Amino acid sequence: MALINLLDFDLDGLAAYCEGLGEKRFRATQLFRWIHQKGAADFGAMTDLAKSLRDKLAGVAEVRPLPVAAEQASADGTIKWLFDVGGGNAVEAVFIPEDDRGTLCVSSQAGCAVGCRFCSTGHQGFSRNLTTGEILAQLWYAEHHLRARLKLAPGERAITNVVMMGMGEPLQNYGALVPALKVMLDDHGYGLSRRRVTVSTSGVVPMMDRLREDCPVALAVSLHAPNDALRDDLVPLNKKYPLAELMAACMRYLEAAPRDFITFEYCMLDGVNDSDEHARQLLALVHGRGEHRVPCKLNLIPFNPFPESGLLRSPRARVLAFAKILQDAGIVTTVRKTRGDDIDAACGQLAGEVQDRTRAAERMKRLPVRVVAAPADARHKPH
Ligand code: SF4
């Protein structure tokens, strides 16, 4: 009989599961804290848990980590892990340390069905949704591995922020996403504030509305184009949920959002979406129309080229000129730092190494756990 993966449960789910074993909710809370706060996977080590419960769990349940297929670590502390999710599929998570925070970029799907032109993951196609346990296993591993690696004091956290900005469109894996978010936010779990957990979406409008109701966290929207014709081409989901609908959904989301702005991501593609005219259209889109004046911050992302895309990075001067038009109009606009294009920094490129479906398992085994002493890109994907 397959063992139940306890990483699949939020606290209510774990309480219901424990109730099925004849245990009270407070026992589930103890168990939950052992798993997520202390990083324990061995029931025998959970010393204040009733022995009867430990014995019951031992035969039927487990805390199932994801095997690490590869690791890339940079001199600046950025670490990218490739996790084996079976069947020749792998997903990536990236830890990005900064002075005042540690951010983990987490994947929600193996591959992605949205198929954005500038995204390495999108070019690999869609394999499958991750389970809640597989989403959380990335955080569980990273947090507890880093605490030991960085020699943090007891109670000190390595990860203060999570961005659902790794491989996949999180809102197309909604059922698994929401319990995972709840564990991140739970005081008995990772205790992160809603402002420090960000879901990044390419614009799945109905699910934005549901997230607003079910679990409002910070929202980032991958815009990448200021008009429907261009966005239809770059982000094909736009054909289903065009910009006017997306902007209206952003306004609705803000009614419940923990932050009073939406972050718009905009990947700068040379000669494609980076002209002064595009900047003015963008301005009109987010700030210019009375009915859709969306409080926002804009994050311009220098594109990380990969061969299949046929696209190039906008020159730095062009990015700055584009930013200036927006800044002059009063929109907070930042340009994301790029670091180390030399370690397959674009999201999905490392995973792409193992996605030869015919010999995937064999290739996965050959991937070393490697340390690259070069600056890594904090950016996981153009989301
Ligand atoms: S950018 Fe995001 S939504 Fe688009 S293909 Fe890549 S992972 Fe999917």
Side-chain angles (χ1 to χ4, degrees):
M1 192 179 69
L3 298 177
I4 298 292
N5 182 8
L6 299 185
L7 291 177
D8 276 327
F9 296 126
D10 60 15
L11 184 52
D12 285 344
L14 191 63
Y17 176 70
C18 286
E19 203 178 310
L21 297 176
E23 299 286 341
K24 297 230 160 42
R25 186 179 176 101
F26 83 93
R27 292 283 180 217
T29 304
Q30 280 181 311
L31 177 59
F32 193 77
R33 291 168 66 104
W34 271 107
I35 295 169
H36 295 290
Q37 293 191 342
K38 298 184 183 169
D42 173 8
F43 300 129
M46 300 180 183
T47 45
D48 65 357
L49 209 60
K51 173 122 183 10
S52 57
L53 174 55
R54 284 189 268 157
D55 290 346
K56 277 184 215 168
L57 290 170
V60 295
E62 64 178 339
V63 177
R64 193 181 306 149
L66 289 174
V68 177
E71 175 187 299
Q72 295 178 323
S74 80
D76 67 6
T78 300
I79 304 171
K80 179 185 270 196
W81 293 285
L82 183 71
F83 292 103
D84 179 357
V85 293
N89 292 308
V91 298
E92 300 171 5
V94 180
F95 174 65
I96 305 142
E98 291 170 277
D99 289 346
D100 59 345
R101 70 184 74 174
T103 302
L104 189 72
C105 181
V106 172
S107 292
S108 57
Q109 298 178 312
C112 183
V114 176
C116 300
R117 264 186 67 197
F118 47 81
C119 174
S120 176
T121 301
H123 277 257
Q124 290 161 33
F126 175 69
S127 291
R128 70 169 174 86
N129 281 328
L130 298 189
T131 62
T132 298
E134 289 169 330
I135 294 171
L136 283 171
Q138 299 167 61
L139 174 59
W140 183 82
Y141 174 83
E143 174 65 39
H144 299 293
H145 171 81
L146 287 167
R147 279 190 203 176
R149 182 163 168 163
L150 303 174
K151 297 190 173 55
L152 299 185
E156 211 179 336
R157 287 183 195 154
I159 292 162
T160 60
N161 296 57
V162 171
V163 289
M164 295 303 306
M165 206 176 277
M167 299 171 72
E169 165 52 67
L171 294 187
Q172 287 188 336
N173 187 12
Y174 191 79
L177 173 73
V178 169
L181 295 177
K182 287 184 173 167
V183 175
M184 294 172 196
L185 301 175
D186 199 308
D187 284 342
H188 298 295
Y190 297 88
L192 302 175
S193 85
R194 292 182 186 278
R195 299 160 61 91
R196 289 175 175 268
V197 175
T198 302
V199 167
S200 174
T201 180
S202 55
V204 189
V205 165
M207 293 298 136
M208 290 166 65
D209 287 330
R210 281 190 63 187
L211 189 68
R212 180 193 60 188
E213 298 298 323
D214 296 339
C215 193
V217 293
L219 189 71
V221 172
S222 301
L223 211 49
H224 308 307
N227 62 64
D228 281 321
L230 184 55
R231 196 163 190 268
D232 283 354
D233 181 43
L234 295 176
V235 184
L237 193 69
N238 194 70
K239 291 177 194 147
K240 200 163 179 189
Y241 306 114
L243 282 167
E245 281 184 39
L246 179 57
M247 292 299 120
C250 288
M251 293 301 289
R252 291 194 297 273
Y253 194 86
L254 282 167
E255 290 163 16
R259 291 183 183 273
D260 56 6
F261 62 89
I262 303 282
T263 302
F264 288 122
E265 310 282 358
Y266 196 100
C267 184
M268 297 293 289
L269 304 167
D270 186 22
V272 175
N273 65 353
D274 64 349
S275 70
D276 288 355
E277 176 55 23
H278 289 125
R280 285 190 286 271
Q281 287 179 12
L282 188 52
L283 205 53
L285 180 71
V286 301
H287 242 200
R289 297 175 190 158
E291 74 276 23
H292 287 321
R293 196 174 176 88
V294 185
C296 66
K297 289 187 178 175
L298 203 72
N299 192 19
L300 302 181
I301 306 167
F303 176 57
N304 221 16
F306 58 98
E308 301 84 359
S309 71
L311 297 164
L312 297 172
R313 175 183 293 184
S314 301
R316 176 92 182 150
R318 180 86 299 268
V319 175
L320 295 179
F322 191 96
K324 187 162 186 313
I325 292 172
L326 296 154
Q327 285 160 345
D328 287 350
I331 296 185
V332 176
T333 304
T334 53
V335 180
R336 197 183 284 181
K337 280 185 237 157
T338 59
R339 296 181 288 181
D341 297 340
D342 50 332
I343 65 160
D344 302 331
C347 168
Q349 281 184 267
L350 184 55
E353 287 185 27
V354 299
Q355 283 210 330
D356 173 348
R357 304 232 192 281
T358 53
R359 289 176 294 118
E362 193 189 312
R363 299 184 79 206
M364 188 90 74
K365 272 189 225 139
R366 285 207 307 269
L367 259 184
V369 173
R370 57 186 163 156
V371 175
V372 180
D377 193 341
R379 173 165 54 99
H380 202 183
K381 70 176 176 187
H383 251 22

